[in-house]
Amino acid sequence: MTQHKSSVAIIGAGVSGLALANSLHEIGHPVQVLEARDRVGGRLHSISVGGSQFDLGATWFWPGEQRVISLAAELGLEVFGQWLQGDAVAEQEGSPTVRLNGNPMDVPSYRVAGGLAQLAIGLADRLPEGTVELGRPVTQIRRGEGSVLVETSDARLESEIVVVAIPPSLAVPHLLDPKTLPASVAATAAQTPVWMGASAKVVVVYPEPFWREGGLAGSGMSYVGPLRELHDMSPSSGSHGAIFGFASTGDPRLTRAEALEQMVRLFGPAAADPVDVQIVDWGTDPNTVVTPNSPRPRYDLYGAPELTAGLWDDRLFFCSTETAAHNPGHVEGALQAAERTVSLITASG
Ligand SMILES: Cc1cc2nc3c(=O)[nH]c(=O)nc-3n(C[C@H](O)[C@H](O)[C@H](O)COP(=O)(O)OP(=O)(O)OC[C@H]3O[C@@H](n4cnc5c(N)ncnc54)[C@H](O)[C@@H]3O)c2cc1C
């Protein structure tokens, strides 16, 4: 087992962990980021289809989310508005699809031309080479003598401070022994639901946004097929059209065939011929959730004081979007959690 030393070890290269790593690096703290996956971004995940980028995780940010707006500008990312024009559609069991008068499904919001994951990629690129270690799932975090010990399958890292930038319920009890934490902290962490942790997303890519010609917005709602809520996700370049739908994790109807049948019912026969269909079930992804979220998730635990203060004499901190005081769940919340954690670490000396 190899041994390393770092001043601050950050578990997770999602946007919260990467934003924190950037801020700490800027003020001179040596940092190491350990990421389980072979990519950065976590719940930000954009893929390329035919040269255009499509978001399989988060898609939007909203006016007023100043941290994301500033970060996108700082990274020089091209930002564009969500498509809002046209009419939405809706379907109910036993009734034909109806066209609504207008689009109540979408509100003004922003997207990133190269996919929202550019936020995470841009943050990772600003760190010194070797700071982010991919394919390094952390298996245990223990308190040592004046340090914290972080274990992966083949290495042990000794660090002055450890930041858990993964959803708290992934960390407790799986990486952190609840007996080493105050009981209220352990209970809060274990019960805090993962935002969107019970969701699946289906992205259907077409040669062009054919629905727009007919005055449709590419948005809709449905109680019939796997897709409950649908939105236009066409790239700004106009190179393709795309519609995505949110579905429930584990839905047995979550297949290409059922999704396309539903798309045809909602948007007409042209919807039968996609360029690509991507299905991602976030609720069965072991790097996002342990088990699907409970049917009654405790959203009231978001930003709970138990998880927003230093632990183990300021050697252990939680820092995912679920711990944010403002906009928890959103990318904005992940950036706010990173800001809070930097303040706590610098205040602790
Ligand atoms: C389908 C979907 C749609 C969404 N839509 C939006 C949206 O439109 N707008 C918005 O603002 N937000 C949206 N969100 C939420 C947004 O994606 C999150 O707020 C944000 O990405 C969370 O960042 P994070 O760093 O807190 O956590 P994560 O992104 O979950 O990052 C945690 C990282 O830790 C890694 N990790 C986990 N376990 C370990 C381990 N044991 N060892 C090492 N690494 C580990 C993971 O692989 C991951 O990279 C959406 C989320 C989903 C799933």
Side-chain angles (χ1 to χ4, degrees):
M1 186 172 266
T2 49
Q3 301 254 3
H4 304 275
K5 275 203 168 203
S6 84
S7 164
V8 182
I10 299 171
I11 318 304
V15 74
S16 66
L18 292 169
L20 175 67
N22 268 264
S23 301
L24 290 174
H25 172 67
E26 272 165 28
I27 55 173
H29 278 276
V31 286
Q32 198 68 37
V33 184
L34 299 174
E35 167 55 47
R37 292 178 165 106
D38 60 4
R39 63 170 179 82
V40 298
R43 282 171 275 174
L44 297 187
H45 185 28
S46 314
I47 56 144
S48 190
V49 175
S52 296
Q53 280 67 43
F54 300 92
D55 287 313
L56 303 185
T59 310
W60 304 293
F61 54 104
W62 290 271
E65 294 196 327
Q66 206 49 52
R67 293 175 180 84
V68 196
I69 292 170
S70 301
L71 178 60
E74 237 178 74
L75 295 173
L77 302 179
E78 188 193 327
V79 166
F80 66 104
Q82 169 67 20
W83 181 265
L84 301 171
Q85 293 97 309
D87 296 333
V89 292
E91 66 171 349
Q92 298 269 7
E93 194 74 62
S95 311
T97 298
V98 294
R99 178 173 179 150
L100 306 184
N101 190 9
N103 176 14
M105 303 295 296
D106 287 300
V107 294
S109 59
Y110 305 115
R111 294 174 51 204
V112 167
L116 204 59
Q118 290 303 320
L119 293 171
I121 293 165
L123 284 169
D125 284 349
R126 293 202 304 201
L127 292 167
E129 211 175 318
T131 304
V132 180
E133 294 186 35
L134 300 177
R136 299 294 297 279
V138 169
T139 52
Q140 198 176 47
I141 303 169
R142 284 184 295 122
R143 195 171 183 174
E145 290 290 323
S147 66
V148 184
L149 304 172
V150 175
E151 287 189 13
T152 65
S153 58
D154 59 354
R156 179 177 298 145
L157 185 104
E158 189 177 352
S159 194
E160 284 171 34
I161 291 172
V162 169
V163 178
V164 175
I166 67 178
S169 55
L170 274 188
V172 181
H174 317 283
L175 310 185
L176 282 158
D177 182 347
K179 291 196 293 292
T180 66
L181 299 167
S184 62
V185 170
T188 303
Q191 291 175 54
T192 298
V194 178
W195 180 252
M196 299 300 283
S199 295
K201 190 167 169 179
V202 178
V203 179
V204 190
V205 181
Y206 293 100
E208 68 264 317
F210 62 85
W211 50 93
R212 292 182 186 173
E213 267 180 34
L216 292 180
S219 66
M221 62 194 96
S222 169
Y223 299 100
V224 186
L227 310 178
R228 291 179 278 110
E229 185 190 314
L230 300 97
H231 303 270
D232 186 310
M233 203 176 66
S234 305
S236 58
S237 63
S239 65
H240 290 89
I243 291 176
F244 83 85
F246 287 118
S248 299
T249 180
D251 188 332
R253 301 168 302 172
L254 208 47
T255 63
R256 177 188 163 101
E258 293 238 19
L260 285 183
E261 260 179 46
Q262 188 174 2
M263 293 293 287
V264 169
R265 285 198 307 273
L266 293 170
F267 300 105
D273 292 315
V275 174
D276 193 32
V277 179
Q278 294 280 334
I279 301 175
V280 184
D281 188 344
W282 290 93
T284 56
D285 181 317
N287 293 313
T288 304
V289 288
V290 177
T291 51
N293 275 354
S294 92
R296 289 190 183 175
R298 292 280 315 271
Y299 293 117
D300 59 308
L301 295 178
Y302 281 2
E306 286 82 354
L307 304 186
T308 54
L311 297 154
W312 292 356
D313 297 327
D314 288 332
R315 294 197 178 278
L316 176 71
F317 298 88
F318 285 90
C319 172
S320 74
T321 187
E322 286 78 11
T323 69
H326 303 289
N327 304 81
H330 286 187
V331 175
E332 178 76 4
L335 296 175
Q336 194 267 328
E339 267 177 29
R340 181 200 65 238
T341 310
V342 179
S343 303
L344 289 171
I345 289 175
T346 47
S348 72

